[in-house]
């Protein structure tokens, strides 16, 4: 069935993860099974409005810099650096031109220092960027702990494709969070975690669209994404959970990929690299 557009936003669960317990773990796992996306309530996290606003200001300054400056930091086969407009193709089966966006991918920071060359506009904020990634990592670890609790217990511009094959908008500020210091953090389960749980947790097809001119919305759209990845040699055999055993699926062909093999397959599809290219 072909996908259609919906004019109403989707009501994704908004979960308060300030306490690690079985109830919260159940809520998170169920949201991941049903939607593949979930909002995390902003209160009780290490982030604050100033940190979020600062990160977006750094982003705006970089992407508004001269193309010649950004080209000096063009991404190579290590998944780090700048990607130009239409260079990424996250849905190669349905897109020939490429995605209408620019990006800049960071690797890890060690002792507050980036392990890659940075343009001048980012060098000046290296410590701030490192602190931001530390907060993202802490949040990701907290989520994984909750997933472990929920799975062990055994209880069953952005648009996402809902179960009825409708494209449904995801609100920036969902209902009930209007008075929070900043909008909730949106979590995407993604391909790897879905693969790792035998397809139990949902990897939802999603896209970013530009509003029609009739809505009068102008200006650039910025987003900041943090990708949390296992060690490269981790074998992605099904998570040892009774819920995964009951409702997950056997790996295609019976094979088990490592985290690096899985990532290289995704990068090969996105950038046209060979699967044997190693990400540093």
């Amino acid at each position: 069935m072909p996908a259609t557009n919906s004019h109403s936003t989707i009501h994704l669960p908004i979960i308060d993860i300030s306490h690690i317990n079985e109830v919260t773990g159940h809520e998170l796992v169920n949201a991941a099974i049903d939607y593949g996306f979930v909002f995390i309530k902003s209160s009780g996290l290490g982030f604050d409005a100033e940190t979020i606003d600062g990160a977006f200001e750094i982003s705006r300054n970089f992407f508004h810099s001269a193309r010649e400056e950004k080209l000096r930091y063009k991404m190579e086969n290590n998944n780090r650096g700048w990607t130009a407009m239409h260079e990424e193709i996250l849905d190669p089966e349905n897109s020939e031109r490429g995605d209408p966006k620019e990006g800049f991918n960071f690797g890890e920071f060690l002792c507050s220092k980036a392990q890659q060359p940075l343009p001048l506009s980012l060098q000046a904020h290296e410590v701030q960027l490192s602190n931001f990634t530390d907060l993202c990592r802490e949040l990701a670890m907290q989520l994984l702990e909750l997933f472990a609790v929920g799975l062990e217990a055994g209880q069953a511009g952005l648009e996402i494709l809902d179960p009825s094959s409708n494209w449904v908008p995801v609100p920036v500020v969902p209902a009930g969070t209007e008075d929070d210091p900043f909008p909730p953090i949106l979590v995407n389960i993604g391909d790897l975690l879905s693969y790792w749980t035998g397809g139990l947790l949902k990897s939802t097809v999603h896209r970013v669209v530009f509003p029609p001119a009739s809505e009068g919305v102008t200006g650039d759209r910025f987003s900041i994404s943090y990708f949390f990845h296992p060690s490269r040699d981790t074998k992605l055999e099904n998570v040892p959970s009774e819920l995964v055993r009951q409702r997950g699926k056997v790996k295609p062909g019976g094979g088990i990929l490592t985290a690096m093999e899985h990532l290289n397959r995704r990068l090969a599809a996105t950038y046209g690299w060979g699967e044997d290219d190693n990400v540093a």
Side-chain angles (χ1 to χ4, degrees):
M1 177 187 299
T4 59
N5 295 320
S6 173
H7 298 292
S8 60
T9 60
I10 192 168
H11 296 288
L12 295 175
I14 305 170
I15 299 178
D16 182 349
I17 65 167
S18 55
H19 300 288
I20 304 293
N21 54 47
E22 193 170 298
V23 172
T24 308
H26 288 166
E27 292 178 351
L28 185 62
V29 167
N30 288 338
I33 291 172
D34 293 339
Y35 298 99
F37 279 81
V38 60
F39 281 115
I40 301 301
K41 194 169 179 60
S42 58
S43 59
L45 303 180
F47 297 91
D48 55 33
E50 183 179 359
T51 300
I52 300 293
D53 291 343
F56 277 104
E57 183 63 24
I58 293 170
S59 176
R60 276 189 290 269
N61 289 338
F62 169 72
F63 287 111
H64 286 159
S65 61
R67 179 180 175 84
E68 292 74 16
E69 168 70 5
K70 292 181 284 191
L71 273 172
R72 295 173 55 193
Y73 302 91
K74 183 176 174 61
M75 181 188 292
E76 299 179 357
N77 288 13
N78 60 2
N79 201 28
R80 299 178 183 181
W82 177 68
T83 56
M85 188 74 72
H86 303 298
E87 187 169 336
E88 291 187 350
I89 307 179
L90 295 180
D91 186 12
E93 293 183 2
N94 299 301
S95 175
E96 295 181 358
R97 188 183 180 197
D99 301 340
K101 66 176 182 179
E102 296 180 41
F104 191 93
N105 290 7
F106 294 94
E108 62 181 344
F109 287 76
L110 296 178
C111 300
S112 299
K113 300 290 292 183
Q115 305 303 294
Q116 67 191 87
L118 293 180
L120 291 176
S121 63
L122 297 180
Q123 287 179 27
H125 302 283
E126 192 167 20
V127 173
Q128 187 176 348
L129 291 167
S130 176
N131 290 340
F132 187 84
T133 61
D134 286 344
L135 290 172
C136 292
R137 178 180 176 82
E138 290 170 9
L139 173 58
M141 292 296 291
Q142 194 170 352
L143 290 170
L144 287 183
E145 186 174 353
L146 278 168
F147 274 125
V149 171
L151 287 170
E152 183 62 30
Q155 180 178 328
L158 177 68
E159 295 184 342
I160 66 175
L161 200 63
D162 73 8
S164 299
S165 295
N166 295 314
W167 285 111
V168 186
V170 177
V172 175
V173 182
T177 68
E178 295 87 351
D179 296 329
D180 290 354
F182 58 90
I185 294 171
L186 181 63
V187 175
N188 175 15
I189 301 306
D191 291 338
L192 188 143
L193 198 51
S194 180
Y195 181 86
W196 210 350
T197 57
L200 175 67
L201 303 187
K202 189 173 184 179
S203 178
T204 299
V205 179
H206 55 286
R207 68 182 185 181
V208 173
V209 297
F210 294 101
S214 60
E215 294 185 6
V217 179
T218 60
D220 298 323
R221 179 188 186 277
F222 291 87
S223 64
I224 297 174
S225 302
Y226 182 81
F227 293 84
F228 195 57
H229 201 266
S231 300
R232 62 179 61 202
D233 295 329
T234 301
K235 291 186 176 181
L236 302 180
E237 51 194 349
N238 282 359
V239 172
S241 156
E242 185 61 32
L243 189 58
V244 173
R245 281 191 286 269
Q246 291 175 358
R247 299 176 56 184
K249 301 174 183 177
V250 178
K251 305 298 186 192
I256 298 175
L257 298 177
T258 65
M260 180 55 62
E261 289 170 339
H262 185 276
L263 176 60
N264 282 341
R265 286 191 179 187
R266 296 302 307 136
L267 294 177
T270 299
Y271 298 109
W273 301 343
E275 289 188 18
D276 293 332
D277 291 332
N278 290 322
V279 177

